[in-house]
Amino acid sequence: NLQPGDRIHILNRKGGFGTFGTLEEGRVLGWLVGDGTVNVVRAVLSFFGDEKRELAPMFADMVTSIVEKPGQRRAYPVGITNVDERDEARIASDRLRDWAAQYGITEESKHFVPSAVFAGSEVIQRGFLQALFTADGQVNDGGEKGCSVRLSSSHLSLLKDVQRLLLNFGIASRIYENRRLAGYRPMPDGKGGTKEYFHKPQHDLAISKTNLVRFANEVGFLTEAKQTRLADYISRMVRGPYEEPFLATVSAVEPDGVEAVYDLHQPDTHSFIANGLVVHNCGEQWLGPYENCCLGSVNLNEHCGPDGTVDWELLRKSVVTATRFLDDVVEANAYVPAVPQLSEAAHRARRIGLGIMGLADLMYHVGVRYGSKEGQEFGAQVMEFVRYHAMKTSVELAQERGPFPAIEGSIYDMDDMKWSAPKSLLVYEHNWGRPEVQWDAIVAGIKEHGIRNAAQTTVAPTGTIATVAGCEGYGCEPVFALAYIRHVNDNGKDLKLAYASPRFDEALKKL
């Protein structure tokens, strides 16, 4: 459990990228967020001073190529409008406004990193950062006191988005809130003078230490002046910049609502990146260094007996077959040759994780309400039966093939066994025809033969495979809806699959 003050690792190298999006699209989006405006008619990109000569023509060409429709008979290039009294050049286009709206950038909302950029290719992410930092960023060269690349904004959420995007390039940064408080300050009035304007609080995102070198190499600025200023500082460093530790400190742990989460398993490092943070695999089963677990699930929906009963004998056979199958998978797995510890750890413990799917379906069939006291007992009886026969089969495999090599010193150590048979938390009051289980026989079997697998059962979520198998209930969970639409990302398109409960349809027909 995270506590304030804990230190956690953040991404220290390039992360993952999508396949969609171009460098030009990223740059136009970045400039629109930085120095652009959107009104009811058009979107406008603004360039000032040297930017007019250096960047405006290039951006006009990029905007034209983006908004032109393939195969149109006549070209309509987007032009540049000079506003001399403001030393400004503008690129304005109603077609650009329509294009930007596809990314969620509108008159009401533009200070964020679009989700398509987060999910996009490396070049669209690079282009977005290049344009945004060129438009609103600066190089603060403090000489011997150090240097930083800074991005200033009154929109804190935008800086947090940019911080995440930078981490995908292995660039760590720090946000300083309220560097300038809200209030009135003199600003150019566009007429050659100044005027007092109200400003929101200003926040800074700062890039320093070795991140400066990585920023210069991976992102950089689009204008020669800013890029040269950064390169000059880096070239003057004698000892090199301070190393970035790539650690973040937890300041607070606060409730942030409820949303969908995902169970992931990374077999090599047992970790993955989530919003720039290094997080560990989901914990369906404890794993030691380099260990993995071969997972499989019995579809309880296929074990419905006649007249609302459970086909216990078929379930027993399924569990026996699945346990033997998963033990064979330990041998058949194609472990990564470059990491021999993976194969060694897998064979030492021979972990398998036999689980279930479709518990809710079987409850429908039997006529037991999920979540009720009766339903809790039914779930307990089913899982005890599955666990019993998985362990019984693993003991039989140990007799045939030998116990797992790491059994000595484990809870299953035949000379000093610490494992004890499970006891139900509930008193069984209902009879669903389940055969008796003899846990004493399991204890005796382990003491005599050992057990083939250090772990035998694991209840995994089975979201996708349960859907493919036709189950309404995923894993051990209840049915979340009797009818729903499943959204599938089909190469960027939202493919909608309608689903309605066949068991509910059967129940309606009986009314």
Side-chain angles (χ1 to χ4, degrees), residues 3-262:
Q3 300 293 331
D6 286 349
R7 303 272 274 171
I8 57 178
H9 290 278
I10 59 176
L11 183 61
N12 64 356
R13 67 201 71 183
K14 276 188 180 180
F17 297 94
T19 57
F20 296 96
T22 66
L23 181 69
E24 292 76 16
E25 290 169 339
R27 287 176 172 176
V28 172
L29 287 169
W31 203 275
L32 192 56
V33 171
D35 264 351
T37 55
V38 180
N39 56 41
V40 295
V41 179
R42 58 184 65 87
V44 182
L45 305 181
S46 294
F47 304 85
F48 299 89
D50 292 338
E51 294 173 352
K52 291 192 304 182
R53 294 178 293 277
E54 195 171 350
L55 298 181
M58 177 180 71
F59 270 84
D61 291 341
M62 288 191 293
V63 171
T64 298
S65 66
I66 288 172
V67 301
E68 292 279 69
K69 297 180 179 179
Q72 66 183 41
R73 295 181 179 180
R74 182 178 175 184
Y76 296 92
V78 178
I80 302 171
T81 302
N82 289 302
V83 184
D84 295 333
E85 64 272 17
R86 291 175 53 88
D87 194 19
E88 177 186 1
R90 294 176 182 171
I91 298 173
S93 169
D94 55 346
R95 291 175 293 168
L96 178 60
R97 179 184 182 276
D98 295 339
W99 177 79
Q102 301 175 31
Y103 294 88
I105 296 177
T106 64
E107 183 179 8
E108 295 79 20
S109 175
K110 82 175 189 76
H111 294 101
F112 63 94
V113 177
S115 58
V117 174
F118 275 122
S121 66
E122 181 176 350
V123 292
I124 193 175
Q125 293 186 23
R126 176 177 289 113
F128 185 91
L129 291 170
Q130 287 176 338
L132 183 60
F133 272 88
T134 303
D136 286 348
Q138 61 275 339
V139 180
N140 287 358
D141 187 347
E144 294 182 357
K145 294 182 179 180
C147 174
S148 64
V149 170
R150 292 188 175 246
L151 180 68
S152 300
S153 177
S154 59
H155 300 273
L156 184 60
S157 59
L158 171 62
L159 296 184
K160 290 181 178 180
D161 279 357
V162 173
Q163 189 176 48
R164 287 170 51 202
L165 198 61
L166 285 168
L167 272 178
N168 211 32
F169 288 89
I171 302 170
S173 59
R174 185 169 182 175
I175 294 176
Y176 298 90
E177 298 184 23
N178 299 312
R179 297 291 281 182
R180 284 186 294 177
L181 300 178
Y184 285 89
R185 289 193 295 276
M187 293 288 291
D189 61 2
K191 301 177 182 179
T194 61
K195 183 179 178 181
E196 292 282 325
Y197 290 94
F198 180 80
H199 287 258
K200 296 179 180 179
Q202 289 290 302
H203 317 287
D204 280 0
L205 179 147
I207 301 171
S208 59
K209 301 179 181 177
T210 48
N211 301 292
L212 286 172
V213 178
R214 190 166 292 181
F215 178 85
N217 294 334
E218 291 290 346
V219 181
F221 295 97
L222 296 178
T223 56
E224 183 178 356
K226 290 182 178 179
Q227 185 68 2
T228 300
R229 186 175 175 86
L230 176 58
D232 284 348
Y233 175 80
I234 294 174
S235 66
R236 294 199 312 269
M237 291 187 297
V238 178
R239 293 176 297 178
Y242 290 109
E243 289 291 330
E244 170 62 53
F246 292 99
L247 290 170
T249 302
V250 177
S251 60
V253 180
E254 302 172 354
D256 192 31
V258 177
E259 58 183 287
V261 296
Y262 302 89

